Amino acid sequence: RQFHKSLGSDWELRDRTADGCRMPHVPTDVQGDVITLTIGGNDLLWNRESYLAGGLEPFAEEHLQLLQSIRSANPQSLLIVGDVYHPDSELTDAELTALCAANQLIQANVQKVGASLAPIYDTFRGNEQRYLCMQIEPTLAGAAAIAGLFHGIFERSVTGT
């Protein structure tokens, strides 16, 4: 079940997803009433050595700039941002520490732009074999779990609960 289908037939989907997308390639010209974004995992993967050696400040700044660009074009939109899940593979202590720190930075950036956080990390933790294939790709069950998080945030925004 995809998130947009749960909204009903009156909603139009503008799907800008791209497998392997990284922050510099996210379109910021999009406009919509509800915008969902799961970004950061590929950036962490591609730039792992740099972030482990030099810290996550460049990641945090780029992520915040991306959210600010989307928010400035969509000041009234419900913006839902997911954090980064743990892969279905072992991480070194340094990698796990960096992943947790990156998620804390994502959470802070979400608050700074008045967005809503979809806690994908917590949802997937302990369910990696069910929710992921090829170590990092969501399965249908994983995609449904993410869609469920998005739908729950949407419902709370509509009902005010």
Side-chain angles (χ1 to χ4, degrees), residues 2 21 43 48 60 88 109 121 136:
Q2 294 179 5
C21 188
D43 298 89
R48 175 178 45 218
D88 187 21
N109 288 346
Y121 179 92
I136 61 169

Side-chain angles (χ1 to χ4, degrees), residues 30-144:
V30 62
Q31 295 202 325
D33 295 320
V34 179
I35 298 170
T36 62
L37 186 65
T38 55
I39 194 70
N42 288 315
D43 298 89
L44 292 172
L45 182 62
W46 280 88
N47 301 312
R48 175 178 45 218
E49 297 307 319
S50 169
Y51 292 142
L52 288 172
L56 290 165
E57 188 171 307
F59 173 86
E61 289 175 9
E62 187 173 17
H63 188 266
L64 180 59
Q65 288 174 358
L66 173 62
L67 296 186
Q68 288 172 331
S69 294
I70 293 171
R71 175 53 82 205
S72 70
N74 298 276
Q76 302 302 314
S77 296
L78 173 61
L79 176 58
I80 305 171
V81 180
D83 57 10
V84 179
Y85 50 80
H86 189 292
D88 187 21
S89 61
E90 291 296 318
L91 296 179
T92 66
D93 289 343
E95 289 170 335
L96 182 57
T97 299
L99 175 57
C100 292
N103 279 334
Q104 289 175 343
L105 294 167
I106 289 170
Q107 292 167 11
N109 288 346
V110 164
Q111 289 181 345
K112 288 175 185 174
V113 300
S116 297
L117 179 74
I120 300 171
Y121 179 92
D122 290 341
T123 301
F124 275 37
R125 200 67 183 121
N127 296 296
E128 290 86 358
Q129 288 189 350
R130 182 171 155 230
Y131 286 163
L132 297 170
C133 63
M134 299 186 306
Q135 297 180 337
I136 61 169
E137 296 296 331
T139 62
L140 183 56

